[in-house]
Amino acid sequence: MLAPGSRPEPRTWLALWRRISWLACWIALCVAEAVPACPFPCTCDGRGLQVDCSGLGLTAPPLDLPAATRSLLLLNNRLSSLPGGAFANLSGLQRLDLSNNFLDRLPRAAFGDLANLTELQLRNNSLRALDAALLRPLPRLRHLDLSLNGLSRLPPGLFDGLPALRSLSLRANRLQSLDRRTFEPLAGLQLLQVADNPWECDCHLRDFKRWLEWFSYRGGRLDQLACTLPKELRGKDMRMVPMEMFNYCSQLEDQNSSAGQEVPGPPCTKASPEPAKPKPGPEPEPEPSTACPQKQRPRPVSVRRAIGTVIIAGVVCGVVCVMMVVAAAYGCIYASLMAKYHRELKKRQPLMGDPEGEHEDQKQISSVA
């Protein structure tokens, strides 16, 4: 204890300075542990909740990502694949943007640890196919963008386990048809973008058209599904094509089912073998012919012919109706004229035994003579 009015000794000042230095170091260490380190060369916000690694030419995701990251931006890089466990410690991640990269395939467990992910951006990559179980670990996913890729088909079950999905973009891919069963689990879907795909509006797209009608009926929004084939429907929105145009699909299914029930015969050859020369002795039993039966070429179904048939049938029905109306009018006019004629004839016909009538008849006969 220092006496009042006395000055502290230099040793006292030195001890006090050491204590303050130790306290400052301890506070600095606590702050360093509380604030996660930002991976180089990315940029992070103050708390490390958003990590921005976009446009840095990265070929692989950073390994030292903060565990508290909520948003990870990896767009505009050179990522061609995702190594296993790239996002293993990011269980709280909610937004992941992998747009504008060179990803050509995604491993099945690429997003296995992202159970809280709500937004996934995979736009403008080189994806050609997707694993059916790729999205199953993402039950809270709400927004999915797969546009500007090279997808030609979607595997069945790809969207199973995504009840929270609200928007889905499949624009600018190579899709020609879609299976209705793939989209049936998406009961909460509100926005679907499928424009700029080479759609073939044939029997393979009939069931998906029915799903689209149900989707639009419950308030879902669709940008456009313009047909590329057949030529008669090129540029026309699939939703505007009447279901009657697909009636021939049932006939084709019946033909295929009946053809599948036929008992297969022995294999045939294109050129039948030449008959062997008969040998002396008893006649041999006839061998089954292996010549190929002449198959009837299936007639292609023409949408234009179907439209022409409908128009001609309508014109014929209209002409027949007009002829029936004219015939009915003619019959009414003829009946009224005949009735009027008979009334006048009765008025002119004299009563039996009327001398005046007989006298008038004689006058008429004499005048005629």
Side-chain angles (χ1 to χ4, degrees):
M1 297 293 294
L2 296 176
S6 62
R7 295 181 179 181
E9 297 180 358
R11 295 180 179 180
T12 307
W13 282 106
L14 182 59
L16 184 61
W17 174 255
R18 288 179 178 177
R19 291 178 181 179
I20 294 174
S21 300
W22 280 108
L23 181 61
C25 292
W26 181 78
I27 293 175
L29 289 174
C30 292
V31 171
E33 292 179 359
V35 178
C38 186
F40 180 82
C42 306
T43 58
C44 306
D45 61 359
R47 296 176 296 174
L49 297 180
Q50 178 173 340
V51 181
D52 188 357
C53 303
S54 58
L56 299 177
L58 301 178
T59 58
L63 299 178
D64 51 349
L65 292 169
T69 304
R70 295 293 181 269
S71 177
L72 177 58
L73 307 180
L74 291 170
L75 64 158
N76 300 326
N77 282 288
R78 299 179 181 178
L79 303 177
S80 59
S81 62
L82 294 178
F87 312 112
N89 63 328
L90 303 179
S91 59
L93 190 65
Q94 298 178 358
R95 182 189 178 194
L96 177 60
D97 195 340
L98 295 167
S99 303
N100 302 330
N101 280 280
F102 302 96
L103 297 173
D104 55 359
R105 63 180 184 86
L106 294 173
R108 186 172 188 176
F111 312 119
D113 298 315
L114 306 180
N116 293 312
L117 194 69
T118 59
E119 181 178 351
L120 178 59
Q121 298 285 340
L122 292 169
R123 182 172 56 90
N124 194 17
N125 279 278
S126 303
L127 299 174
R128 297 292 184 270
L130 298 175
D131 192 279
L134 178 67
L135 305 175
R136 291 181 185 175
L138 310 176
R140 298 185 179 180
L141 190 65
R142 296 175 60 88
H143 307 284
L144 176 61
D145 192 348
L146 293 169
S147 59
L148 293 169
N149 281 279
L151 299 174
S152 58
R153 61 179 296 271
L154 299 179
L158 177 64
F159 302 133
D160 292 355
L162 299 179
L165 194 65
R166 295 295 180 267
S167 65
L168 173 63
S169 180
L170 297 169
R171 293 181 59 254
N173 279 278
R174 298 179 181 178
L175 298 171
Q176 297 179 350
S177 62
L178 292 173
D179 192 352
R180 172 180 181 174
R181 294 171 295 181
T182 306
F183 291 82
E184 285 181 347
L186 303 179
L189 190 65
Q190 299 176 358
L191 175 62
L192 178 62
Q193 296 177 341
V194 292
D196 302 326
N197 280 282
W199 299 112
E200 294 186 3
C201 300
D202 54 7
C203 295
H204 298 288
L205 208 59
R206 177 188 58 174
D207 293 338
F208 183 70
K209 172 179 168 56
R210 293 175 178 171
W211 181 87
L212 284 180
E213 293 178 353
W214 172 82
F215 176 69
S216 302
Y217 175 76
R218 66 177 180 84
R221 292 177 296 163
L222 180 72
D223 52 354
Q224 189 182 13
L225 199 156
C227 301
T228 303
L229 293 175
K231 295 181 180 180
E232 293 81 1
L233 299 177
R234 180 173 296 174
K236 192 171 184 179
D237 197 323
M238 182 65 173
R239 293 170 294 179
M240 302 294 105
V241 179
M243 286 299 300
E244 289 74 14
M245 301 295 293
F246 298 93
N247 289 339
Y248 70 94
C249 298
S250 302
Q251 301 176 1
L252 294 179
E253 292 174 356
D254 295 339
Q255 293 178 3
N256 294 335
S257 60
S258 61
Q261 294 177 357
E262 294 180 358
V263 180
C268 61
T269 57
K270 293 184 178 180
S272 58
E274 296 182 358
K277 296 182 180 180
K279 296 181 180 180
E283 295 183 358
E285 296 181 358
E287 298 181 357
S289 176
T290 59
C292 294
Q294 186 176 3
K295 297 182 179 180
Q296 185 179 4
R297 295 181 60 185
R299 299 180 61 184
V301 179
S302 176
V303 178
R304 184 179 301 174
R305 183 180 301 173
I307 296 175
T309 303
V310 172
I311 294 175
I312 293 174
V315 171
V316 171
C317 291
V319 172
V320 171
C321 292
V322 171
M323 292 178 63
M324 293 178 65
V325 172
V326 172
Y330 176 78
C332 294
I333 295 173
Y334 179 79
S336 62
L337 292 176
M338 290 299 297
K340 185 177 180 181
Y341 172 75
H342 283 292
R343 285 197 300 270
E344 293 179 356
L345 185 62
K346 287 182 179 180
K347 289 180 181 180
R348 293 180 180 181
Q349 183 177 3
L351 298 174
M352 295 181 60
D354 188 0
E356 295 180 357
E358 293 179 357
H359 185 64
E360 291 179 358
D361 292 340
Q362 291 177 359
K363 288 181 179 180
Q364 292 179 359
I365 294 171
S366 61
S367 64
V368 172

